[in-house]
Amino acid sequence: MKKILFAIFAVAAFALTGCEKKGGLDIMSLDPNAFDNTEFKCWKFTIENAGVLNGTMYAWDTEYNLICTLQATYKQSGNKAIINYEQTPADDKEGCESKNDF
């Protein structure tokens, strides 16, 4: 979990460069409390910032925690990041996190 959080914050640090938001999910319109906070799944998420940062990562977490983290990342980017996420197949934490390139 520490690796994932560190990676997300590293992505957020790169995303601080400004750009105009085009496309992507309106992550701030989601209410994390409306999503599951018990079942862990593998999530693929992408954070882009006008070509300055194009990052895709995988996290083994609940959808609630993922949304909270992505919302924090969006705020740290100055509300400029383009964020998308989706569930992806993996049976366990190791299988999910092994999809990351770092």
Side-chain angles (χ1 to χ4, degrees):
M1 184 68 177
K2 285 183 181 180
K3 283 191 220 176
I4 296 298
L5 290 176
F6 179 73
I8 290 170
F9 289 120
V11 168
F14 285 113
L16 291 174
T17 308
C19 73
E20 182 180 330
K21 183 178 178 183
K22 297 177 183 176
L25 172 68
D26 183 5
I27 195 75
M28 298 309 291
S29 70
L30 301 178
D31 176 8
N33 295 312
F35 294 88
D36 179 52
N37 193 21
T38 58
E39 186 177 355
F40 283 75
K41 298 177 182 176
C42 188
W43 299 99
K44 174 184 176 182
F45 60 95
T46 304
I47 301 173
E48 298 179 44
N49 195 358
V52 175
L53 173 72
N54 294 307
T56 299
M57 290 191 245
Y58 297 84
W60 182 257
D61 212 335
T62 65
E63 191 167 12
Y64 168 87
N65 286 337
L66 179 71
I67 291 171
C68 289
T69 302
L70 292 176
Q71 286 178 342
T73 301
Y74 182 77
K75 288 177 186 176
Q76 288 181 343
S77 77
N79 301 332
K80 310 241 185 217
I82 299 169
I83 297 175
N84 289 294
Y85 80 96
E86 64 182 293
Q87 185 179 344
T88 187
D91 295 330
D92 58 21
K93 180 178 180 177
E94 290 76 28
C96 180
E97 292 178 355
S98 70
K99 296 179 182 191
N100 288 309
D101 290 336
F102 54 88

